[in-house]
Amino acid sequence: MTSQTTVKTLLILGASGDLTGRLLLPGLARLVAKGRAGGLSLVGAGSDSLTADQWRTRVSETFAAAEGAADGDGRAALKAMAESTEYHAVDVTAEGALAGLLGSLPGPVAVYFALPPHVSQLACEALHPDQVPAGTRLVMEKPFGSGAESARDLNGTLVRLVPEDHIHRVDHFLGKATVLNILGLRFANNFLEPVWNRDHIERVEIIFDEDLALEGRAGYYDGAGALRDMIQSHLLQIMALVALEAPATIQERDLRDAVSAVLRASSIKAPYASSTRRARYTAGNISGKDVPDYVREEGVDPARNTETLAEVQVAIDNWRWKGVPFILRSGKALGTKRKEAVITFRPVPHLPGGFSGLDSPNQLRIGFGPDTLQLDLDVNGPGDIFTLNRITLKSELNASELLPYGEVLEGVLNGDPLLSVRGDTAEDCWRIVEPVLRSWNRGDVPLEEYDAGGPGPEGWLAVPPNGSAKE
Ligand code: BG6
């Protein structure tokens, strides 16, 4: 059965860009293929003078990849959307240009700014509130601003145009099924909540180590680095879901209030040479492929000292978490992909005398790709029944039928901001990392090096995969 979207037109600005081709159109295609975008028209716009045919070809080619996931109706819907889509060559920062386009499209319209942040800002500034029809939704990509102040300015510009619940700040990690599953795991299982606090949990690690290197993205990444690119946005969102108080519902108001309360209590404490680490990769080999030094990648300016691996220890100063370190780490060009949250429990208060073998702390591991859940426990045997042994209970989790961008887009198209970052939260995420960025700029924390394809520098805070917590 096909479900109808509240939004009638999805207008993508920056339609010829990389983000649209790589993530947005595939996410949309899955939605359409599954009959979850009935009644929606797609319109592309950008400063490139694509012909309507070139744009349609681009859309059809991307949509073709989703045909396998579609039934007959889904295939027909994909074809219909690809054939009917329009393209408008406009400079959306020019006075009146975006307003004219917006006024000409069947509403409500969701305007997706798949543009560099400063261009999005200019495009929004060029709009006047009376040029924005009621019901319009504004969809902003990350990074949202470049610091707390610019995020505040951008929030100010946007709320002049539409109400807060019509602004969607995209963080596609909120569309990852396993990330959302943290809520199901925590709040639909009675045994976890009593131990989900500082009395029983020793540390939490949220790790997103990628084996991808720069992948030609110097234009964006060299000005961002791992802390801004991953930790300031995605990993803080995951942390908030791990740490939040039980909401009464998982509707947008309750859930986003709970997320915001965690982030307001969070900070990274000085001295930053103890609470943070940064490093940059040098030449190496990843799965048989040679990778050059980061500083020799095309478009990189070595003088920027951009980090490709970052690790920070976040403190959440509230009753539940005071004193529990939350270690957030992410980097590029590592030898092993490791994408997981690891919750390490405290040791038992007293191990009955007579046991031998190792009593290691329990660990709960939530894998974000592959999507898995693992619980490490100590049990007796085999062999000597008084010798402790480690076992792991493991389950593969079901992937969603939509891609993360599809999940997020579905919220936009149905007028639900649940999977979007709220304005105050976007500012708080910058407030948390900004002192670190300033300290790194001053050179307080050395920029270490690691070989591409290796495990990263030694002696950092996060424990190795399947290792036990440090003393
Ligand atoms: C993006 C970052 O937001 O997330 C990339 O800009 C990163 O650098 C990516 O590789 C990771 O997300 P995913 O969904 O591809 O695992």
Side-chain angles (χ1 to χ4, degrees), residues 135 146 178 255 282 286 292 379 414 447 470:
S146 54
T178 340
L255 186 65
T282 52
I286 306 175
V379 293
N414 290 322
L447 179 62
K470 283 182 192 168

Side-chain angles (χ1 to χ4, degrees), residues 10-11 62 128 194 196 217 235 279 287 362 380:
L10 173 62
L11 168 62
T62 319
H128 297 288
W196 206 257
R217 292 170 76 215
L235 300 200
S287 312
N362 295 130
N380 300 17

Side-chain angles (χ1 to χ4, degrees), residues 142 172-173 176 208 210 217 220 229-230 234 332 339:
K142 86 172 232 288
H172 76 282
F173 272 46
K176 287 186 190 261
F208 210 86
E210 297 182 277
R217 292 170 76 215
Y220 154 71
D229 181 45
M230 293 296 295
H234 307 317
K332 301 269 184 209
K339 304 178 178 179

Side-chain angles (χ1 to χ4, degrees), residues 238-394:
I238 297 180
M239 184 193 83
L241 295 179
V242 170
L244 52 71
E245 297 302 314
T249 71
I250 48 163
Q251 281 155 19
E252 83 65 30
R253 174 88 192 268
D254 288 335
L255 186 65
R256 300 203 303 172
D257 278 355
V259 164
S260 150
V262 173
L263 293 168
R264 277 208 314 280
S266 302
S267 62
I268 301 169
K269 308 250 195 262
Y272 302 110
S274 310
S275 57
T276 73
R277 303 274 188 281
R278 57 174 179 151
R280 182 163 76 178
Y281 66 79
T282 52
N285 186 285
I286 306 175
S287 312
K289 197 175 146 210
D290 286 336
V291 175
D293 287 337
Y294 174 76
V295 293
R296 299 175 77 95
E297 296 262 22
E298 202 184 325
V300 167
D301 175 0
R304 283 180 191 257
N305 283 336
T306 301
E307 81 288 353
T308 57
L309 177 66
E311 191 176 86
V312 298
Q313 176 170 333
V314 182
I316 305 179
D317 289 326
N318 63 17
W319 192 291
R320 187 188 286 265
W321 295 115
K322 180 78 187 172
V324 178
F326 282 74
I327 314 290
L328 275 45
R329 160 186 165 125
S330 182
K332 301 269 184 209
L334 290 145
T336 310
K337 261 199 265 186
R338 185 180 175 204
K339 304 178 178 179
E340 58 176 357
V342 184
I343 292 98
T344 302
F345 290 84
R346 293 190 187 283
V348 290
H350 171 70
L351 184 68
F355 274 120
S356 59
L358 197 62
D359 174 36
S360 315
N362 295 130
Q363 288 188 314
L364 181 65
R365 297 168 179 274
I366 305 166
F368 305 117
D371 294 344
T372 52
L373 187 61
Q374 297 186 51
L375 179 61
D376 297 340
L377 301 168
D378 284 335
V379 293
N380 300 17
D384 177 355
I385 55 166
F386 297 112
T387 302
L388 295 173
N389 253 293
R390 175 126 288 213
I391 58 154
T392 299
L393 306 183
K394 179 171 178 183

Side-chain angles (χ1 to χ4, degrees), residues 53-86:
D53 271 349
Q54 283 168 325
W55 167 243
R56 277 187 210 116
T57 307
R58 186 159 196 235
V59 173
S60 321
E61 282 172 4
T62 319
F63 277 17
E67 280 179 9
D71 59 12
D73 289 348
R75 280 193 290 278
L78 284 166
K79 191 160 178 272
M81 185 176 277
E83 280 174 357
S84 62
T85 185
E86 302 166 11

Side-chain angles (χ1 to χ4, degrees), residues 4-9 38 40 107-109 135 137 411-416:
Q4 303 289 308
T5 54
T6 316
V7 161
K8 292 295 159 238
T9 305
L40 180 75
V109 179
R137 295 186 169 268
V412 171
L413 299 176
N414 290 322
D416 183 359

